[in-house]
Amino acid sequence: MIKAVIIEDEFNALNTLDKLIKYTQKDIEVIAKIDNIIEATAFLKSQTPDLVFMDIELIGGNAFQILEALDSIAFKIIFTTAYDEFAIKAIKFDTIDYLLKPIDSEELSECIDRFRVAFKKEQVYKSAIDKVSEINEKENQKTLLIKTADAQYFLQIKDIIRCQSDGSYTIFHTVDKKIMSARNLKYYENILSEHTFVRVHQSHLVNIKYIKTISANNTVSLTNDEKIPVATRKKSYLKQLLDTL
């Protein structure tokens, strides 16, 4: 449901708009009806509606005093008034539309349809941003416990550049250190293949985020200027994988 607020000091106008919304806009819920700037300012500072129908002339002042008192405006505004000279000033705010009184039901529906288009785009955008943020946050929080002969290390997976086999041991190359684990490379391949790591060679597991180029002589150049050999059978697969990033 779209959450809406009506800020209007004329009783008849408020009731008329409320009923028009109730009977013609089934996906809009009016969560508050306010008739003065003090209560309206307090409400909008504490609540976040999606849409505000706002008369310009109000008890105690006008709509612009409310908007100027807010730290930010996270909702869309449809101004309602009998005075169209306010239209130019209304453009300064993030309005969706402007309705002249007496409000016509058809004009209201057209106005809200335009709002829905903008609202839907904004929701899709916010959803995408939230998803990316969630993924990044999860990635940043992922750690790997490495046990050495004399210590334990919690490595941020995103900071691991590559892992190199050394017999039954594995050497971790990170952005700021090298650590040798007593476990073999196959063990870590099973864990890190769920992330952005690829076994490019019998002895090398590489975080593809740190690959700069793939050379013709079957090597990859990393962002730290190291060159790592790539098995011939892995080269084509690695190119395809990098093309998807």
Side-chain angles (χ1 to χ4, degrees):
M1 291 289 285
I2 296 168
K3 296 183 294 182
V5 173
I6 301 174
I7 301 175
E8 169 65 69
D9 65 350
E10 296 178 25
F11 180 79
N12 289 336
L14 188 152
N15 277 349
T16 298
L17 180 55
D18 185 34
K19 287 178 181 178
L20 282 174
I21 294 171
K22 181 178 180 180
Y23 293 117
T24 66
Q25 312 298 326
K26 300 301 183 183
D27 60 340
I28 296 181
E29 177 189 6
V30 176
I31 61 173
K33 293 174 281 187
I34 308 170
D35 67 358
N36 65 85
I37 67 170
I38 294 176
E39 290 181 16
T41 303
F43 182 89
L44 295 176
K45 281 184 175 182
S46 63
Q47 304 292 324
T48 308
D50 301 309
L51 177 61
V52 175
F53 293 89
M54 186 177 289
D55 187 12
I56 292 182
E57 293 287 2
L58 295 163
I59 295 174
N62 62 55
F64 303 111
Q65 290 173 263
I66 298 172
L67 300 176
E68 288 162 358
L70 301 177
D71 294 329
S72 62
I73 300 173
F75 49 84
K76 300 300 181 184
I77 308 162
I78 295 177
F79 281 108
T80 60
T81 184
Y83 305 99
D84 58 6
E85 66 265 24
F86 285 107
I88 294 175
K89 188 170 183 179
I91 293 171
K92 293 181 181 179
F93 294 93
D94 194 12
T95 59
I96 283 294
D97 229 320
Y98 189 89
L99 288 170
L100 288 177
K101 297 177 184 177
I103 295 172
D104 178 78
S105 62
E106 187 173 329
E107 289 181 358
L108 173 65
S109 294
E110 291 173 357
C111 186
I112 292 178
D113 284 344
R114 288 189 289 270
F115 161 76
R116 286 194 186 94
V117 171
F119 182 71
K120 185 176 180 180
K121 287 181 179 178
E122 190 171 282
Q123 292 304 104
V124 169
Y125 176 74
K126 284 181 178 178
S127 177
I129 292 296
D130 289 344
K131 187 64 177 176
V132 170
S133 297
E134 180 184 345
I135 291 171
N136 286 338
E137 184 177 353
K138 286 182 179 179
E139 281 295 323
N140 290 338
Q141 290 175 347
K142 287 175 180 174
T143 58
L144 182 66
L145 173 63
I146 307 296
K147 294 181 179 180
T148 67
D150 55 1
Q152 292 187 146
Y153 297 86
F154 286 94
L155 298 182
Q156 292 284 330
I157 290 178
K158 66 182 179 64
D159 292 337
I160 301 171
I161 298 173
R162 66 185 181 93
C163 305
Q164 181 177 351
S165 175
D166 186 0
S168 59
Y169 295 87
T170 299
I171 302 172
F172 280 81
H173 297 254
T174 76
V175 294
D176 59 1
K177 64 173 76 74
K178 290 183 182 180
I179 299 171
M180 179 175 281
S181 168
R183 293 185 180 274
N184 63 28
L185 189 61
K186 182 64 178 177
Y187 173 82
Y188 290 111
E189 180 185 7
N190 291 335
I191 296 173
L192 295 173
S193 60
E194 296 181 2
H195 300 274
T196 53
F197 287 78
V198 176
R199 185 82 173 260
V200 298
H201 184 274
Q202 182 179 353
S203 299
H204 298 281
L205 182 66
V206 176
N207 187 340
I208 60 176
K209 290 183 176 180
Y210 290 96
I211 294 178
K212 284 198 300 187
T213 58
I214 303 175
S215 303
N217 62 349
N218 286 0
T219 61
V220 292
S221 296
L222 305 181
T223 56
N224 63 355
D225 295 327
E226 289 185 309
K227 295 186 184 299
I228 306 299
V230 178
T232 302
R233 61 187 178 85
K234 289 283 189 177
K235 190 173 180 180
S236 176
Y237 169 73
L238 186 58
K239 283 183 175 179
Q240 292 176 358
L241 192 61
L242 290 172
D243 286 341
T244 65
L245 296 178

